[in-house]
Amino acid sequence: MIKYPNGSRVKVDKTIDYGRRGMSLEDDLNATNKYYLESDIAAVYKKPTPIQITKVEYKSRATARITEAYFQTPSTTDYNGVYKNLYIDFEAKETQSKTSLVSSMIHPHQLAHMERVIRYGGIAFVIVRFYSLDETYFVFAAKIINYLRSAQRKSIPHAWFVENGILIPYNYLIKVDYLKVIDQLILEGK
Amino acid sequence: MIKYPNGSRVKVDKTIDYGRRGMSLEDDLNATNKYYLESDIAAVYKKPTPIQITKVEYKSRATARITEAYFQTPSTTDYNGVYKNLYIDFEAKETQSKTSLVSSMIHPHQLAHMERVIRYGGIAFVIVRFYSLDETYFVFAAKIINYLRSAQRKSIPHAWFVENGILIPYNYLIKVDYLKVIDQLILEGK
């Protein structure tokens, strides 16, 4: 509460934040992909969560109501699409921790999928946000795969991302401009 | 019923078919994509159907049961993936008709999506099966888009597919070997 000179009290809502915080990485990526789409730059989509449907009620021909279903484990990463002749494939992870990302957040079948993508000539990467630090990193899947497989590591330290990742700049229009990172890599001939 | 010389009657199950018939195009494509994956050739997946979840019951930490949900209209095509550095994107349609495919089976937003894919350098196509004729065609999205937009056509005749499509051969191991068609196009430099 703020006490004004005239004695009235104004409640300050601490949840209001005009910067990035408050938005999840998924929301920011959806907004970014929508921006890319509407600007006619790239077509990248989040795959729907796979769901096993066990019961459906048909009220009419046009409407079906699912009354029993269960979440399934995805066999691939969450995002893929096409940009400048390239197949783009990535997974996005967000952590509240300031020190590390728990390795189990990236599933073994997702690592295997990203390895395939690399073999077939696609660009595979991971976007990791340290929410409390307000930092979002772009990391090539190959680097994360090497790191996680070189030893049984339970987590990836924040310092590792600083060294091996590329900080993705935030701007109001493009929340997570990961294609800018890819543009830079194309320019450098990587 | 077949009457044998000894007078016994054997019921012949007419639903048994050792060829392709009886399997849906989706089943055949899933088997094909699985074959490509296991043979380390390409990573192509069917996107899960998007579902809007309205009610979830949490019995325990690990298990969640969806008790109310609805099917949503997909904004893209059903299949995409990566093969030989290429972004691959397609829609699959099956018809019981021997004469034509109803145009409304391919949604306008799917046509728009395939146009984008072409602009961004991916390979977009449609796989159409005439179930009763036992024929499966590969057609470039650009051709279908041109045809449907050149006039308000309610259907695409079978003869159009014969002329503009490429018949995909069936074999026991690879049910719908659409990558063979792409290989041919790569060879021809298209």
Side-chain angles (χ1 to χ4, degrees):
Chain A
M1 304 286 266
I2 292 167
K3 200 176 173 188
Y4 279 81
N6 65 359
S8 73
R9 280 154 191 268
V10 177
K11 203 180 166 193
V12 175
D13 187 346
K14 286 191 175 168
T15 64
I16 290 177
D17 189 323
Y18 299 97
R20 177 204 299 163
R21 294 186 196 210
M23 293 293 277
S24 72
L25 178 57
E26 185 179 331
D27 289 338
D28 281 355
L29 282 169
N30 287 344
T32 302
N33 289 337
K34 200 173 169 231
Y35 174 86
Y36 289 152
L37 204 69
E38 287 169 357
S39 311
D40 202 11
I41 292 170
V44 181
Y45 287 90
K46 184 178 190 296
K47 290 188 182 177
T49 308
I51 284 163
Q52 195 197 0
I53 298 163
T54 44
K55 274 183 203 159
V56 182
E57 248 175 39
Y58 292 93
K59 288 188 271 184
S60 71
R61 275 198 188 189
T63 58
R65 193 167 71 116
I66 299 157
T67 55
E68 195 182 311
Y70 300 90
F71 294 102
Q72 288 179 303
T73 310
S75 39
T76 65
T77 49
D78 274 356
Y79 299 85
N80 76 355
V82 59
Y83 173 62
K84 289 187 180 172
N85 305 330
L86 299 167
Y87 172 83
I88 300 288
D89 193 298
F90 65 97
E91 184 61 28
K93 292 295 172 197
E94 188 164 29
T95 181
Q96 295 288 340
S97 163
K98 288 177 182 172
T99 54
S100 66
L101 180 81
V102 175
S103 306
S104 61
M105 283 182 78
I106 304 167
H107 301 288
H109 55 260
Q110 290 182 322
L111 294 176
H113 171 73
M114 290 189 287
E115 276 188 311
R116 280 178 188 284
V117 168
I118 297 164
R119 271 207 304 283
Y120 306 153
I123 296 199
F125 54 96
V126 180
I127 294 177
V128 175
R129 175 174 288 175
F130 285 88
Y131 189 84
S132 312
L133 301 172
D134 205 12
E135 291 173 1
T136 307
Y137 291 94
F138 176 110
V139 193
F140 276 109
K143 286 197 176 186
I144 284 207
I145 293 164
N146 279 344
Y147 183 81
L148 290 176
R149 295 217 171 138
S150 62
Q152 291 230 317
R153 306 194 195 252
K154 289 199 172 169
S155 67
I156 312 172
H158 172 258
W160 186 89
F161 287 98
V162 175
E163 202 181 324
N164 294 281
I166 298 153
L167 206 57
I168 305 174
Y170 169 85
N171 76 65
Y172 182 76
L173 208 60
I174 321 173
K175 312 286 182 186
V176 195
D177 196 1
Y178 60 88
L179 292 183
K180 199 174 227 171
V181 177
I182 291 173
D183 280 337
Q184 193 54 43
L185 297 164
I186 294 171
L187 270 178
E188 292 167 9
K190 280 181 192 168
Chain B
M1 301 287 264
I2 293 169
K3 200 175 171 187
Y4 279 82
N6 66 359
S8 72
R9 279 154 190 270
V10 177
K11 201 179 167 197
V12 176
D13 187 346
K14 285 191 176 166
T15 65
I16 290 178
D17 189 322
Y18 298 98
R20 177 206 297 167
R21 293 186 195 210
M23 293 292 277
S24 72
L25 178 57
E26 184 179 331
D27 289 337
D28 280 355
L29 282 169
N30 286 345
T32 301
N33 289 336
K34 200 174 169 227
Y35 175 87
Y36 289 153
L37 204 70
E38 287 170 356
S39 311
D40 202 11
I41 293 171
V44 181
Y45 287 91
K46 184 179 189 296
K47 291 188 183 179
T49 308
I51 285 162
Q52 195 197 0
I53 298 163
T54 44
K55 274 183 202 160
V56 182
E57 248 174 40
Y58 292 92
K59 287 188 273 185
S60 71
R61 276 198 187 188
T63 58
R65 192 165 73 116
I66 299 157
T67 55
E68 194 180 312
Y70 300 90
F71 293 102
Q72 287 179 303
T73 310
S75 39
T76 66
T77 48
D78 273 357
Y79 299 85
N80 76 356
V82 58
Y83 173 63
K84 290 187 179 171
N85 304 330
L86 299 167
Y87 172 83
I88 301 288
D89 193 297
F90 65 96
E91 184 60 28
K93 292 296 173 199
E94 189 165 27
T95 181
Q96 294 289 339
S97 163
K98 288 177 182 174
T99 55
S100 66
L101 180 82
V102 175
S103 305
S104 62
M105 284 183 77
I106 304 168
H107 301 289
H109 55 260
Q110 290 182 322
L111 294 175
H113 170 73
M114 290 189 288
E115 275 189 313
R116 284 178 184 282
V117 168
I118 296 164
R119 272 206 303 283
Y120 307 154
I123 296 198
F125 54 96
V126 180
I127 293 177
V128 176
R129 175 174 290 175
F130 286 88
Y131 189 84
S132 312
L133 301 172
D134 204 14
E135 292 173 0
T136 307
Y137 291 93
F138 176 110
V139 193
F140 276 109
K143 287 197 175 184
I144 284 207
I145 293 163
N146 279 344
Y147 183 80
L148 291 176
R149 295 214 172 138
S150 61
Q152 291 230 318
R153 305 194 195 252
K154 289 199 171 169
S155 68
I156 312 172
H158 172 258
W160 186 88
F161 287 99
V162 175
E163 201 182 323
N164 294 281
I166 298 153
L167 206 57
I168 306 174
Y170 170 85
N171 77 65
Y172 182 76
L173 208 60
I174 320 172
K175 312 284 184 188
V176 195
D177 196 1
Y178 59 89
L179 291 183
K180 199 174 229 172
V181 177
I182 292 172
D183 279 339
Q184 192 54 39
L185 297 163
I186 294 172
L187 270 178
E188 291 167 9
K190 282 184 191 168

